[in-house]
Amino acid sequence: MDSLRIEGGVPLKGEIVVSGAKNAALPLIAAGLVTDGTLRLRNVPDLVDTGSMEVLLRNHGMDVGRTGDMLVIGGSATNFDAPYDLVRKMRASILVLGPLLARYGQARVSLPGGCAIGTRPVDLHIRAMQAFGAIVELADGYIQARAPGGLTGARVVFPMVSVGATENAMIAATLAKGTSEIVNAAREPEISDLAECLIAMGARITGHGTDTITIEGVDSLGDATHDVIPDRIEAGTFAIAAAITGGELTLQNARARHLDSLFEVLRRCGITIDENDDGIRVAANGGIGSADITTDPFPGFPTDLQAQFMALMCLADGSSRISETVFENRFMHVPELMRMGADIQVDGGIAMVRGKPSLTPAPVMATDLRASVSLVLAALATEGTSEVSRIYHLDRGYSDLEAKLGQCGARMHRV
Ligand code: UD1
């Protein structure tokens, strides 16, 4: 099994081009199922997860081709089963439910199964499809859904904010008869990106980016060409890499307005962030101040940057209270950071981090995507050699991580 050997202590300096967003690309690829036409997606990151979504669409009978960072999705689905073997690899596979039901009136999707960061149910996805008139049964570990006469527009009120359920509901509603309203919708930039792509196909959607999305159903959707937005979580991770190593990085192709909550906190920690023609420059100024954060749906602090920020706070001048409200059990990086000498106490969804001047190198183990990269960041900031094992998680969400950080001075290689 691959691991990363990292010789830390080098301030990272240079420029990094941010890739297309994984979490935007996954629902966009799934949306290829809802159109009669051809969907051309540009700036699609080449990741294990996007590859898994391509395989899933091919399994449904779609034609999917990749040239560089462009994916072309066409044809029609002939198989409506998303099997456990594919779905268990990636929870976002649930995103085929809405498009298959809306366009073909049937879908059989495996329940995603356990995930390391909490129970993560899919009840909100199912409830939305039922609101649109689908008949849904759970049997043999599968969601079996039918809508023989097509879906009907409805008002869907989510009791909590869910990115994936909002995406599934929005895609399904594009072909439902009549008007739909999604209330308490997620406002993540990835939702707006999906809405823009669906609109380019001919969907009638307003209110995306707010907590109420209105969709007027249409009879069919057509061709579209769409550019995937830059990955705000990758950009945020690199911003923290600059801060934690005492370096300076310019992030090309990143959108500052997608990272307001992180940048506000980093500035409070004494990090300089400015936007110029080359991109967003993030520079440390000697010493890291401490700050408290609470994760929340967008525009709040992203849960997907919580682990990376915690690594930074392990080296801050002072204490930090990190409150995780989006997922239960998203502190698996804590024991690993403590193996490197970090001082962290967890009580339920709250972690108290007491910053230290330095950490010590240690062998550590990656547990999920963002936890893994937080360990890489901690290792980059630590004098000596650390080894991060089980890094296959990293390949699910970061393209060319070693090359991108390596060109900025990081000494890391796969063993
Ligand atoms: C997406 C992101 C993930 C990110 C998360 C929160 C993708 C592919 N993944 O995941 O990186 O961490 O948003 O920003 O975009 N929930 C339910 N019932 C449901 C659905 C969700 O209770 O039917 C709960 C979850 O357990 C969690 C919370 O809602 O506690 C938010 O989850 P959700 O926004 O749905 O996350 P994902 O879409 O899975």
Side-chain angles (χ1 to χ4, degrees):
M1 205 171 283
D2 280 2
S3 56
L4 267 184
R5 193 166 290 160
I6 300 172
E7 260 181 80
V10 180
L12 299 185
K13 286 207 164 60
E15 295 182 354
I16 300 183
V17 180
V18 174
S19 298
K22 168 181 87 76
N23 287 353
L26 296 177
L28 286 166
I29 299 171
L33 285 164
V34 83
T35 177
D36 292 356
T38 301
L39 174 60
R40 285 186 177 74
L41 294 173
R42 293 186 295 222
N43 200 30
V44 179
D46 190 6
L47 301 167
V48 170
D49 273 12
T50 48
S52 299
M53 194 57 109
E54 289 171 41
V55 170
L56 185 55
L57 257 69
R58 285 194 198 103
N59 155 82
H60 290 310
M62 303 294 292
D63 302 324
V64 185
R66 186 187 259 274
T67 317
D69 72 355
M70 168 130 118
L71 270 194
V72 181
I73 305 169
S76 307
T78 47
N79 163 27
F80 310 104
D81 248 52
Y84 179 62
D85 254 10
L86 294 178
V87 176
R88 75 185 165 83
K89 289 193 190 135
M90 186 183 57
R91 190 189 140 79
S93 308
I94 185 75
L95 293 170
V96 301
L97 178 66
L100 285 175
L101 254 183
R103 167 107 163 71
Y104 300 98
Q106 55 178 314
R108 186 169 177 271
V109 181
S110 169
L111 287 163
C115 168
I117 54 171
T119 47
R120 299 184 88 176
V122 289
D123 54 317
L124 302 178
H125 299 251
I126 294 172
R127 255 202 261 176
M129 299 308 132
Q130 287 171 325
F132 295 142
I135 302 152
V136 183
E137 283 163 353
L138 297 184
D140 310 324
Y142 277 78
I143 305 165
Q144 310 203 34
R146 285 175 295 128
L151 297 175
T152 309
R155 185 164 190 263
V156 177
V157 183
F158 284 126
M160 64 192 288
V161 177
S162 162
V163 174
T166 301
E167 290 164 345
N168 240 334
M170 187 165 69
I171 300 175
T174 59
L175 294 183
K177 285 183 206 82
T179 305
S180 298
E181 202 174 50
I182 304 173
V183 180
N184 201 21
R187 291 180 281 166
E188 268 67 4
E190 293 77 19
I191 303 281
S192 296
D193 200 38
L194 174 62
E196 296 299 342
C197 178
L198 292 167
I199 290 168
M201 291 176 185
R204 295 169 65 185
I205 303 174
T206 54
H208 46 286
T210 77
D211 63 5
T212 305
I213 303 175
T214 305
I215 304 120
E216 302 274 349
V218 296
D219 290 339
S220 63
L221 298 170
D223 295 343
T225 300
H226 181 80
D227 292 303
V228 179
I229 53 170
D231 197 312
R232 64 194 168 98
I233 305 301
E234 190 198 19
T237 301
F238 293 144
I240 296 173
I244 201 168
T245 62
E248 178 181 336
L249 293 176
T250 297
L251 309 176
Q252 294 173 343
N253 200 24
R255 294 192 189 164
R257 68 177 184 281
H258 292 171
L259 282 159
D260 280 345
S261 58
L262 172 71
F263 287 170
E264 187 265 321
V265 174
L266 287 182
R267 285 191 177 109
R268 267 197 276 140
C269 298
I271 309 300
T272 300
I273 295 161
D274 41 49
E275 253 186 294
N276 54 40
D277 291 346
D278 294 333
I280 302 169
R281 190 181 71 99
V282 183
N285 296 301
I288 301 161
S290 64
D292 299 339
I293 58 156
T294 299
T295 63
D296 262 320
F298 192 85
F301 193 97
T303 175
D304 285 349
L305 287 171
Q306 179 257 108
Q308 300 89 313
F309 186 74
M310 188 184 293
L312 180 67
M313 288 301 94
C314 292
L315 291 163
D317 193 6
S319 296
S320 163
R321 183 178 189 273
I322 296 184
S323 174
E324 171 60 57
T325 73
V326 178
F327 289 110
E328 52 187 278
N329 192 20
R330 204 176 195 178
F331 284 142
M332 278 102 53
H333 41 288
V334 168
E336 299 303 308
L337 289 169
M338 287 172 71
R339 287 171 52 74
M340 298 182 72
D343 181 348
I344 308 169
Q345 277 184 332
V346 173
D347 183 5
I350 294 170
M352 288 301 304
V353 186
R354 269 193 219 99
K356 289 181 150 189
S358 62
L359 296 174
T360 46
V364 287
M365 193 187 288
T367 47
D368 77 27
L369 172 55
R370 308 304 171 183
S372 312
V373 86
S374 77
L375 301 175
V376 171
L377 295 179
L380 286 170
T382 302
E383 296 276 354
T385 305
S386 297
E387 197 162 311
V388 183
S389 58
R390 294 206 181 161
I391 50 154
Y392 54 85
H393 295 288
L394 283 176
D395 299 328
R396 293 187 46 205
Y398 290 91
S399 68
D400 299 330
L401 186 72
E402 295 109 289
K404 284 182 177 182
L405 293 175
Q407 79 197 18
C408 299
R411 292 178 298 197
M412 55 200 283
H413 64 273
R414 250 170 229 248
V415 289

